[in-house]
């Protein structure tokens, strides 16, 4: 479990940033088992979701017309 505790929050951030629900489900399962802190999982997931939404909005705003 030490690798999960060391890299778990980074995995939550990257997983929620790219995919979302499945990674968050697994992270909350790990938090339920005591490997991760539930509050830290919540904060990491919220920050990653906000950052990904803002990034993809900006990308669409900047280059969306050219792609269409």
């Amino acid at each position: 479990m030490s690798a999960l505790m060391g890299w778990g929050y980074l995995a939550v951030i990257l997983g929620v940033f790219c995919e979302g629900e499945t990674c968050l489900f697994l992270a909350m399962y790990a938090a339920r088992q005591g490997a991760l802190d539930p509050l830290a999982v919540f904060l990491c997931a919220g920050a990653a979701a906000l950052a990904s939404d803002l990034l993809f909005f900006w990308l669409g705003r900047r280059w969306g017309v050219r792609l269409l």
Side-chain angles (χ1 to χ4, degrees):
M1 283 288 185
S2 63
L4 180 62
M5 294 174 74
W7 294 96
Y9 300 113
L10 180 62
V12 170
I13 291 171
L14 293 176
V16 170
F17 190 86
C18 296
E19 196 274 324
E21 292 82 13
T22 304
C23 181
L24 187 57
F25 177 75
L26 293 173
M28 289 311 294
Y29 180 75
R32 176 77 173 151
Q33 296 300 318
L36 298 174
D37 180 33
L39 181 61
V41 168
F42 176 76
L43 293 175
C44 289
L50 179 66
S52 69
D53 285 345
L54 290 174
L55 175 70
F56 292 129
F57 175 79
W58 179 78
L59 288 173
R61 180 92 169 154
R62 178 79 171 107
W63 288 292
V65 175
R66 290 183 194 163
L67 292 175
L68 293 176

